[in-house]
Amino acid sequence: MTRVFPEEGRRRVAIETVRPRVDGGRFPIRRSVGESVCVEARAFTDGHDRIRCVLRHRREDGVQWHETPMVPGRNDWWRAEFTVPDLGRYVYTVTAWVDHFLSWRHDLERRTEPEDIHVALLMGAELVARTAERAMGADAEVLAETAATLANGTDPDARMALATGTTLGELMERHADRSLATVSSPELGVTVERERARFGAWYEVFPRSCGATDDSHGTFRDCENWLPYIAGMGFDVLYLPPIHPIGRIRRKGPNNTLAAGPDDPGSPWAIGAPEGGHLSVHPALGTLEDFRRLVASARDHGLEIALDIAFQCAPDHPYVQEHPAWFRHRPDGSVQYAENPPKKYQDIYPFDFETADWQGLWLELEGIFRFWIEQGVRIFRVDNPHTKSFAFWEWAIASIQRDFPETLFLAEAFARPAVLHGLAKRGFSQSYNYFPWRNTKHELTAYFTELTRGEGREYLRPSLWPNTPDILPEYLQFGGRPAFMIRATLAATLGASYGIYGPAFELVETRAREPGSEEYLDSEKYQIRQWDLQRPDSLRDYLTRLNRIRRQNPALQHDWNLCFHAIDNEEMLCFSKTAEEEGDVVFVVVNLDPVHTQSGYVEVPLEEWGLDPAQPYQVHDLLGNSRHLWHGPRNFVKLDPRAGAAHIFRLRRRLRTEQDFDYYL
Amino acid sequence: MTRVFPEEGRRRVAIETVRPRVDGGRFPIRRSVGESVCVEARAFTDGHDRIRCVLRHRREDGVQWHETPMVPGRNDWWRAEFTVPDLGRYVYTVTAWVDHFLSWRHDLERRTEPEDIHVALLMGAELVARTAERAMGADAEVLAETAATLANGTDPDARMALATGTTLGELMERHADRSLATVSSPELGVTVERERARFGAWYEVFPRSCGATDDSHGTFRDCENWLPYIAGMGFDVLYLPPIHPIGRIRRKGPNNTLAAGPDDPGSPWAIGAPEGGHLSVHPALGTLEDFRRLVASARDHGLEIALDIAFQCAPDHPYVQEHPAWFRHRPDGSVQYAENPPKKYQDIYPFDFETADWQGLWLELEGIFRFWIEQGVRIFRVDNPHTKSFAFWEWAIASIQRDFPETLFLAEAFARPAVLHGLAKRGFSQSYNYFPWRNTKHELTAYFTELTRGEGREYLRPSLWPNTPDILPEYLQFGGRPAFMIRATLAATLGASYGIYGPAFELVETRAREPGSEEYLDSEKYQIRQWDLQRPDSLRDYLTRLNRIRRQNPALQHDWNLCFHAIDNEEMLCFSKTAEEEGDVVFVVVNLDPVHTQSGYVEVPLEEWGLDPAQPYQVHDLLGNSRHLWHGPRNFVKLDPRAGAAHIFRLRRRLRTEQDFDYYL
């Protein structure tokens, strides 16, 4: 009987459960530049031998591994971390081996009988001598000498000191025998994106509404005039709905009516007309050159343009004629429009991702991103990615980020959890999510605990939007101005990334198309709107303050540092974020009730925040710019939503006493 | 630029998180014959299309896949189960595809306009016609006819009925186009073992103590005389410590003293002497033929012999001379004995699993199992498996179970959780565990919730031992007879598999070697003991009752059905087990305090158990054979540990009324 053996049966260390890992390593985790990856692995061997564990990482396109020794914790868990300094892809793995030197030294230190110690030193000498053979140069010499002394030295104390000393320990670690090391499998991946993937404030605007005060179609040039206003509020990203020619066939009229009048501009998401498709600019907005000028001008204002990419066609999109194979056809030869019976979207033709020419389709769609990258765009907001094939996204995003690793993708997938997460796993830098519908204390606490503590945090970065052109939540419809302030505050502080659709937001647009609908009345999706940016009730100043606070407090630029705190009122929410490096604690108290004044006692985690229970401490409300002296763990907060529904406190841990001043003795 | 594409980019279904799976599929799950495997998978596609999911399984050594349609649940989870009827290995996987027929029919049923319905029927006709081309024989004909009717039929209602009917649905399902199906990866494994892997009562005895009443060395023949006693108590497995020749060099004396007298028998775990090693029988026990006779005789009593396998050698084991390469050597050329400094075990030589001749060592050790299998043994209790290489166990157990799938292995790994679980993952059928040290209500509830609900349950089957020759827990030392009854009851009812080391157990041996030690005084490990099996205070009758109750109540033959129930006394524990098929509810109330009478109110989950809150129900105490009428959800229980520290109730759901009897009208 021929027996089958493993290739090497002497690898005695088992490495199990290396984490973080997504779906067993099928997908990479996600970080932004400069962040760290804290890796844990369960590793153990048979018997009493000591093991060593090392975390290894390298750039995916590199060959040089970097090693970090792992530190053992409880229950055979080992831990180490590495930093990802650059854009791109990294891989990591864990390797571990039985370290006979460590085992030997551990035993040596516990031996008591001189004869045992003598024999043990001889055994150690053998170990060291064998290691000397593997080493080179000076190390080899020192090791050989050490082996000789361990074996033949005459001073027992000196031999013990040599055996247990750090010099020998370091040399033996450097030249450890790893021939029987176990390497964890598979190698796990990290996608590293720039900081904007994690932290940023977005402002969405329809450029065609940026015109003068009449009903004329706004242009990119008009849009440039808005840059000081938007940048002035402290936003980082200016996101434009699709800027392409809009189909005329079955164009929708105001409020999504079926019959558009001759002057109705149509929906920017009904892409394509004889003038061009996804690679063209709507003539009424200007030229491609105008667009590039807007990109440059925005950059001068500290704003980055994000472009909407919607992979669908109006019936008069050139693709429909040029690539009939990319669409499904009906028995009468017409192209299959989008539908969800009994609803029909006859102005929209979806692509058929099961087309025999799927490679041609993929290349073309991916080329659309590349075209706009050439025009200077590096952020894309992807419309309804969950109605396009997952395999395509995984391929396209990886392909583009290989060449342009600074490119970011925001997934507009207000879809079921598996789909939302599935898209994030496949490469989207950020994801819209259920924030618009999480309003109560319980909902917010549960959802943000899941987002920031659940396994999904390794790949899903939430982007929080109180409103979008499609979503005017009922909370905003009925809560009025205080509701807008509450939701903006929550978005800007619960999330490192957030965005608003303006000016509908700062001008407190509350009118829905009909009761029960989240659609805006007279939605900009179907018509040009005029906005009075100077209205005195605008939330412009409030948003400006929020964004300034975000920029000045690194704690608010991260998601995982979120921590909820008790407050004894169901209408009030309290949470904190701490910046590890700066020790900067920011904590937020929000009245979630947009109508009534609410009050309650906040539980301050004194010990966690390093506060002396016997001393007062100062909390500085960055929104109202007021300072309060607090004492002990329970402190009273009262918030009138009409006056200001939230405090964003910055903690000052220690107040000065007389001893801090020059005049004290 | 040459572009790289996936092999097939049109597979639109994502399958994520197929479970159960152990370490991403690295290890198989474990079942016993006839059990089912309930598989869940998260599967979804882009857009609104309908998908189908199918669970596939086959014998690992077969080619024939069996398919079970999966049923969708919440959040894109799909579920199905299959049964494993035979010993051996199975694999399972999930496959899913976009079902255009289902999507089409789903939409069709929602269409309202006649023109839409007409066009949709034409499209359906195309789908059906294409399917007809794939089908054969009668199915192909019916499909072709159906396609023609859908396209050209004159009666609209008849066409709709045909389109939405079950006949067409079944045909389209049978001949579904799976060319773009996604198959989950990797294939996941199931190891199927016989029922005894899950359910059985073990009795451990030192055969050398089975002699007559004097100090003479008991034999296998003597052991045969004990079979009626052991079988009479209702045990299933008779487990013998090692039966091999015992080393004489550095033999240990009574109570583990270093100097053995000339008549001291030594420890059975110090295996090997000039008479032979692991393939030999200790001459004082009898011959190999005597052993085979014992195996056969035990079988006649309904008992199966389990043999202890301890892979270690006494200094005079023949291996030491024959295979010096299998041991480590000290600088003076002597063989390295086992040690854990400053402790030395000079009577034991461990194998060196890093030997260059590891293949030779593995073959020899695995051959030891095969040798005893030839003698009729099919259950092995493996001594300290965690001090031998994990890779060896994985290889050896798989190799043996391939040829003898009825073979079972019990791991004696009272080791750290990762090691305990690591061994179970690698093939051990059952595992010793921390039960001996889980005594309080909190400890028992937490531990058994982990064992029966945690992920480990897929591969780790606990074997519960109140005592072993190495472990006389303090609870038994100080709790006396009631403590023994409590622990036996817990072991026999919390676990489908349990065992005791007797007669020390039923004769309530409480004397430890010294305070703080869990070693028995005058342990049988080092000396022959005489036991008076007829002592009136023996727990023999109690154990007999426990084992009879276990055999008569299928609910007690499983682990996963364990459920804890509230009882308002911290010294009392209440739990139930329900047999799914029989609807048989057994619930146990134990007083954990071996000294004081305790009482409390049990919370009975009326609804869960299908009880009418308005009706009384009968609970039958199978231990005391008393019946009680209970009412409603709270019932009083009082237990005096001296009289009987537990009830094992069997629930009778419905009491007869006058209407159940003949004399009623």
Side-chain angles (χ1 to χ4, degrees), chain B residues 352-380:
Chain B
D352 175 13
F353 281 84
E354 290 186 14
T355 173
D357 184 29
W358 60 274
Q359 296 191 349
L361 176 64
W362 283 22
L363 278 181
E364 179 70 22
L365 298 183
E366 192 241 18
I368 292 169
F369 287 112
R370 291 182 181 267
F371 175 84
W372 293 106
I373 286 171
E374 278 172 35
Q375 314 312 316
V377 178
R378 290 295 185 281
I379 306 184
F380 298 98

CSV table of all heavy atoms in Angstrom, one decimal, chain B residues 352-380:
chain,number,residue,atom,x,y,z
B,352,ASP,N,9.9,12.2,19.3
B,352,ASP,CA,10.3,13.4,18.7
B,352,ASP,C,9.6,13.6,17.3
B,352,ASP,O,10.0,13.0,16.3
B,352,ASP,CB,11.8,13.5,18.5
B,352,ASP,CG,12.2,14.8,17.8
B,352,ASP,OD1,11.4,15.7,17.7
B,352,ASP,OD2,13.4,14.8,17.4
B,353,PHE,N,8.5,14.4,17.3
B,353,PHE,CA,7.8,14.5,16.0
B,353,PHE,C,8.5,15.4,15.0
B,353,PHE,O,8.0,15.5,13.9
B,353,PHE,CB,6.4,15.0,16.3
B,353,PHE,CG,5.4,13.9,16.8
B,353,PHE,CD1,5.4,13.6,18.1
B,353,PHE,CD2,4.7,13.2,15.9
B,353,PHE,CE1,4.6,12.5,18.5
B,353,PHE,CE2,3.9,12.1,16.3
B,353,PHE,CZ,3.8,11.8,17.6
B,354,GLU,N,9.7,15.9,15.4
B,354,GLU,CA,10.5,16.6,14.4
B,354,GLU,C,11.6,15.6,13.8
B,354,GLU,O,12.5,16.1,13.2
B,354,GLU,CB,11.1,17.8,15.0
B,354,GLU,CG,10.0,18.9,15.2
B,354,GLU,CD,10.6,20.2,15.7
B,354,GLU,OE1,11.9,20.4,15.6
B,354,GLU,OE2,9.8,21.1,16.2
B,355,THR,N,11.5,14.4,14.1
B,355,THR,CA,12.5,13.4,13.7
B,355,THR,C,12.6,13.4,12.1
B,355,THR,O,11.6,13.6,11.5
B,355,THR,CB,12.3,12.0,14.2
B,355,THR,OG1,13.2,11.1,13.5
B,355,THR,CG2,10.8,11.6,13.8
B,356,ALA,N,13.8,13.3,11.6
B,356,ALA,CA,13.9,13.2,10.1
B,356,ALA,C,13.1,12.0,9.6
B,356,ALA,O,12.6,12.0,8.5
B,356,ALA,CB,15.4,13.0,9.8
B,357,ASP,N,13.0,11.0,10.4
B,357,ASP,CA,12.2,9.8,10.0
B,357,ASP,C,10.7,9.9,10.5
B,357,ASP,O,10.1,9.0,11.0
B,357,ASP,CB,12.8,8.5,10.7
B,357,ASP,CG,12.1,7.3,10.2
B,357,ASP,OD1,11.6,7.2,9.1
B,357,ASP,OD2,12.1,6.3,11.0
B,358,TRP,N,10.2,11.1,10.3
B,358,TRP,CA,8.8,11.3,10.7
B,358,TRP,C,7.8,10.4,10.0
B,358,TRP,O,6.8,10.0,10.6
B,358,TRP,CB,8.4,12.8,10.6
B,358,TRP,CG,8.4,13.4,9.2
B,358,TRP,CD1,9.5,13.9,8.6
B,358,TRP,CD2,7.4,13.5,8.3
B,358,TRP,NE1,9.2,14.4,7.4
B,358,TRP,CE2,7.9,14.1,7.1
B,358,TRP,CE3,6.0,13.1,8.3
B,358,TRP,CZ2,7.1,14.4,6.0
B,358,TRP,CZ3,5.3,13.4,7.2
B,358,TRP,CH2,5.8,14.0,6.0
B,359,GLN,N,8.1,10.1,8.8
B,359,GLN,CA,7.2,9.3,8.0
B,359,GLN,C,7.2,7.8,8.6
B,359,GLN,O,6.1,7.2,8.8
B,359,GLN,CB,7.5,9.2,6.5
B,359,GLN,CG,7.4,10.6,5.9
B,359,GLN,CD,7.5,10.5,4.4
B,359,GLN,OE1,7.9,9.5,3.8
B,359,GLN,NE2,7.1,11.6,3.7
B,360,GLY,N,8.4,7.4,9.0
B,360,GLY,CA,8.5,6.1,9.6
B,360,GLY,C,7.7,6.1,11.0
B,360,GLY,O,7.0,5.1,11.3
B,361,LEU,N,7.9,7.1,11.7
B,361,LEU,CA,7.2,7.2,13.0
B,361,LEU,C,5.7,7.2,12.8
B,361,LEU,O,5.0,6.5,13.5
B,361,LEU,CB,7.7,8.5,13.8
B,361,LEU,CG,7.0,8.8,15.1
B,361,LEU,CD1,7.3,7.7,16.1
B,361,LEU,CD2,7.5,10.2,15.6
B,362,TRP,N,5.2,8.1,11.9
B,362,TRP,CA,3.8,8.2,11.7
B,362,TRP,C,3.2,6.8,11.3
B,362,TRP,O,2.2,6.4,11.8
B,362,TRP,CB,3.5,9.2,10.5
B,362,TRP,CG,3.6,10.6,10.9
B,362,TRP,CD1,4.3,11.1,12.0
B,362,TRP,CD2,3.0,11.7,10.2
B,362,TRP,NE1,4.2,12.5,12.0
B,362,TRP,CE2,3.4,12.9,10.9
B,362,TRP,CE3,2.2,11.8,9.1
B,362,TRP,CZ2,3.0,14.2,10.5
B,362,TRP,CZ3,1.8,13.1,8.7
B,362,TRP,CH2,2.1,14.3,9.4
B,363,LEU,N,3.9,6.1,10.4
B,363,LEU,CA,3.4,4.8,9.9
B,363,LEU,C,3.3,3.8,11.1
B,363,LEU,O,2.3,3.1,11.2
B,363,LEU,CB,4.3,4.2,8.9
B,363,LEU,CG,4.1,4.8,7.4
B,363,LEU,CD1,5.1,4.1,6.5
B,363,LEU,CD2,2.7,4.5,7.0
B,364,GLU,N,4.3,3.9,11.9
B,364,GLU,CA,4.4,2.9,13.1
B,364,GLU,C,3.2,3.2,14.0
B,364,GLU,O,2.5,2.3,14.5
B,364,GLU,CB,5.7,3.0,13.8
B,364,GLU,CG,5.8,2.1,15.0
B,364,GLU,CD,5.9,0.6,14.6
B,364,GLU,OE1,6.3,0.3,13.5
B,364,GLU,OE2,5.6,-0.2,15.5
B,365,LEU,N,3.1,4.5,14.3
B,365,LEU,CA,2.0,4.9,15.3
B,365,LEU,C,0.6,4.6,14.8
B,365,LEU,O,-0.2,4.0,15.5
B,365,LEU,CB,2.2,6.3,15.7
B,365,LEU,CG,3.5,6.8,16.4
B,365,LEU,CD1,3.4,8.2,16.8
B,365,LEU,CD2,3.8,5.9,17.6
B,366,GLU,N,0.4,4.9,13.5
B,366,GLU,CA,-0.9,4.7,12.9
B,366,GLU,C,-1.1,3.1,12.9
B,366,GLU,O,-2.2,2.7,13.0
B,366,GLU,CB,-0.9,5.3,11.5
B,366,GLU,CG,-2.2,5.3,10.9
B,366,GLU,CD,-2.3,4.5,9.6
B,366,GLU,OE1,-1.3,3.7,9.4
B,366,GLU,OE2,-3.2,4.7,8.8
B,367,GLY,N,0.0,2.4,12.7
B,367,GLY,CA,-0.1,0.9,12.6
B,367,GLY,C,-0.5,0.4,14.0
B,367,GLY,O,-1.1,-0.7,14.0
B,368,ILE,N,-0.2,1.0,15.0
B,368,ILE,CA,-0.7,0.6,16.4
B,368,ILE,C,-2.2,0.5,16.4
B,368,ILE,O,-2.8,-0.4,16.8
B,368,ILE,CB,-0.1,1.5,17.5
B,368,ILE,CG1,1.4,1.3,17.5
B,368,ILE,CG2,-0.8,1.2,18.8
B,368,ILE,CD1,2.1,2.3,18.4
B,369,PHE,N,-2.8,1.6,15.9
B,369,PHE,CA,-4.3,1.6,15.8
B,369,PHE,C,-4.8,0.4,15.0
B,369,PHE,O,-5.7,-0.3,15.3
B,369,PHE,CB,-4.8,2.9,15.2
B,369,PHE,CG,-4.7,4.1,16.2
B,369,PHE,CD1,-3.9,5.2,15.9
B,369,PHE,CD2,-5.5,4.2,17.3
B,369,PHE,CE1,-3.8,6.3,16.7
B,369,PHE,CE2,-5.4,5.3,18.1
B,369,PHE,CZ,-4.6,6.3,17.9
B,370,ARG,N,-4.1,0.3,13.8
B,370,ARG,CA,-4.6,-0.8,12.9
B,370,ARG,C,-4.4,-2.2,13.5
B,370,ARG,O,-5.3,-3.0,13.3
B,370,ARG,CB,-3.8,-0.7,11.6
B,370,ARG,CG,-4.2,0.6,10.8
B,370,ARG,CD,-3.5,0.6,9.4
B,370,ARG,NE,-3.8,1.8,8.7
B,370,ARG,CZ,-4.8,1.9,7.8
B,370,ARG,NH1,-5.5,0.8,7.5
B,370,ARG,NH2,-5.1,3.1,7.2
B,371,PHE,N,-3.4,-2.3,14.3
B,371,PHE,CA,-3.2,-3.6,15.0
B,371,PHE,C,-4.4,-3.9,15.9
B,371,PHE,O,-4.9,-5.0,15.9
B,371,PHE,CB,-1.9,-3.6,15.7
B,371,PHE,CG,-1.6,-4.9,16.5
B,371,PHE,CD1,-1.1,-6.0,15.9
B,371,PHE,CD2,-2.0,-4.9,17.9
B,371,PHE,CE1,-0.9,-7.2,16.7
B,371,PHE,CE2,-1.8,-6.1,18.6
B,371,PHE,CZ,-1.2,-7.2,18.0
B,372,TRP,N,-4.7,-2.9,16.7
B,372,TRP,CA,-5.8,-3.2,17.7
B,372,TRP,C,-7.2,-3.3,17.0
B,372,TRP,O,-8.1,-3.9,17.5
B,372,TRP,CB,-5.7,-2.2,18.8
B,372,TRP,CG,-4.5,-2.4,19.6
B,372,TRP,CD1,-3.4,-1.6,19.6
B,372,TRP,CD2,-4.2,-3.5,20.5
B,372,TRP,NE1,-2.4,-2.2,20.5
B,372,TRP,CE2,-2.9,-3.4,21.0
B,372,TRP,CE3,-5.0,-4.6,20.9
B,372,TRP,CZ2,-2.3,-4.3,21.9
B,372,TRP,CZ3,-4.4,-5.5,21.8
B,372,TRP,CH2,-3.1,-5.4,22.2
B,373,ILE,N,-7.3,-2.6,15.9
B,373,ILE,CA,-8.5,-2.8,15.1
B,373,ILE,C,-8.6,-4.2,14.6
B,373,ILE,O,-9.7,-4.8,14.7
B,373,ILE,CB,-8.5,-1.8,13.9
B,373,ILE,CG1,-8.8,-0.4,14.4
B,373,ILE,CG2,-9.5,-2.2,12.8
B,373,ILE,CD1,-8.6,0.7,13.3
B,374,GLU,N,-7.5,-4.8,14.3
B,374,GLU,CA,-7.5,-6.2,13.9
B,374,GLU,C,-8.0,-7.1,15.0
B,374,GLU,O,-8.5,-8.2,14.8
B,374,GLU,CB,-6.1,-6.7,13.4
B,374,GLU,CG,-5.8,-6.3,12.0
B,374,GLU,CD,-4.4,-6.6,11.6
B,374,GLU,OE1,-3.8,-7.6,12.2
B,374,GLU,OE2,-3.7,-5.8,10.9
B,375,GLN,N,-7.7,-6.7,16.3
B,375,GLN,CA,-8.1,-7.5,17.4
B,375,GLN,C,-9.6,-7.2,17.8
B,375,GLN,O,-10.0,-7.7,18.8
B,375,GLN,CB,-7.2,-7.2,18.6
B,375,GLN,CG,-5.7,-7.1,18.4
B,375,GLN,CD,-5.2,-8.3,17.6
B,375,GLN,OE1,-5.6,-9.4,17.8
B,375,GLN,NE2,-4.4,-8.0,16.5
B,376,GLY,N,-10.2,-6.3,17.0
B,376,GLY,CA,-11.6,-6.1,17.3
B,376,GLY,C,-12.0,-4.8,18.0
B,376,GLY,O,-13.1,-4.5,18.2
B,377,VAL,N,-11.0,-4.0,18.2
B,377,VAL,CA,-11.3,-2.7,18.9
B,377,VAL,C,-11.7,-1.7,17.8
B,377,VAL,O,-11.1,-1.6,16.8
B,377,VAL,CB,-10.0,-2.2,19.7
B,377,VAL,CG1,-10.3,-0.9,20.3
B,377,VAL,CG2,-9.6,-3.2,20.7
B,378,ARG,N,-12.7,-0.9,18.2
B,378,ARG,CA,-13.1,0.2,17.2
B,378,ARG,C,-13.2,1.5,18.0
B,378,ARG,O,-13.7,2.5,17.4
B,378,ARG,CB,-14.4,-0.2,16.6
B,378,ARG,CG,-14.4,-1.3,15.6
B,378,ARG,CD,-13.5,-0.9,14.4
B,378,ARG,NE,-13.6,-1.9,13.4
B,378,ARG,CZ,-12.9,-3.1,13.4
B,378,ARG,NH1,-12.0,-3.3,14.4
B,378,ARG,NH2,-12.9,-4.0,12.4
B,379,ILE,N,-12.9,1.6,19.2
B,379,ILE,CA,-12.9,2.9,20.0
B,379,ILE,C,-11.6,3.0,20.7
B,379,ILE,O,-11.1,2.1,21.4
B,379,ILE,CB,-14.1,2.9,21.0
B,379,ILE,CG1,-15.4,2.6,20.4
B,379,ILE,CG2,-14.1,4.3,21.6
B,379,ILE,CD1,-16.6,2.8,21.3
B,380,PHE,N,-11.0,4.2,20.5
B,380,PHE,CA,-9.7,4.5,21.1
B,380,PHE,C,-9.9,5.7,21.9
B,380,PHE,O,-10.4,6.7,21.5
B,380,PHE,CB,-8.6,4.6,20.1
B,380,PHE,CG,-8.4,3.4,19.3
B,380,PHE,CD1,-8.9,3.2,18.1
B,380,PHE,CD2,-7.6,2.3,19.9
B,380,PHE,CE1,-8.7,2.0,17.4
B,380,PHE,CE2,-7.4,1.2,19.1
B,380,PHE,CZ,-7.9,1.0,17.9
